[in-house]
Amino acid sequence: MADAGAAAPAGPSAVGQLVMLGGFVLIFYFLLWRPQSKRAKEHRELVGNLGKGDEVATSGGMLGKITAVTDDYVAMEIADGTEVKLQKVAVTAVLPKGTIKSVK
């Protein structure tokens, strides 16, 4: 019964909890949200700057040269006389000129 009169241990204060919550938000912002939005912005710029003659790689791993560009789609030549149409968002990278010839 001697312990019955003792005060219960105090938990973290409200200010401490707010500081901890703020720290978690900052960690999420700098490690997750900011890099993801930066990558999305770079991809939007890449897709917006696509033009005829660009050599590109797609998300499916195909390499080709763009032959036509519309608002949402591109026509891409993947071999002599073989052309495919695909969505612009499927393009993941613009390659330096001559890359496709060096791969073949």
Side-chain angles (χ1 to χ4, degrees), residues 30-81:
F30 284 109
L31 293 179
L32 297 174
W33 291 325
R34 188 169 175 232
Q36 180 62 32
S37 65
K38 186 177 178 182
R39 280 190 295 270
K41 180 182 175 187
E42 289 172 354
H43 189 257
R44 277 192 308 272
E45 289 174 0
L46 176 130
V47 167
N49 294 329
L50 290 176
K52 185 176 179 179
D54 287 344
E55 294 182 2
V56 296
T58 67
S59 58
M62 288 193 306
L63 303 178
K65 184 181 282 190
I66 294 178
T67 57
V69 179
T70 63
D71 289 338
D72 295 324
Y73 297 93
V74 295
M76 184 174 78
E77 184 178 47
I78 57 174
D80 292 334

Side-chain angles (χ1 to χ4, degrees), residues 10-25:
S13 67
V15 173
Q17 288 179 346
L18 287 176
V19 168
M20 187 71 86
L21 180 64
F24 283 129
V25 168

Side-chain angles (χ1 to χ4, degrees), residues 63-104:
L63 303 178
K65 184 181 282 190
I66 294 178
T67 57
V69 179
T70 63
D71 289 338
D72 295 324
Y73 297 93
V74 295
M76 184 174 78
E77 184 178 47
I78 57 174
D80 292 334
T82 306
E83 191 174 277
V84 295
K85 292 182 182 359
L86 51 110
Q87 292 179 324
K88 279 185 172 181
V89 294
V91 174
T92 57
V94 175
L95 306 171
K97 300 288 183 191
T99 301
I100 294 174
K101 287 190 180 205
S102 67
V103 173
K104 288 184 181 180

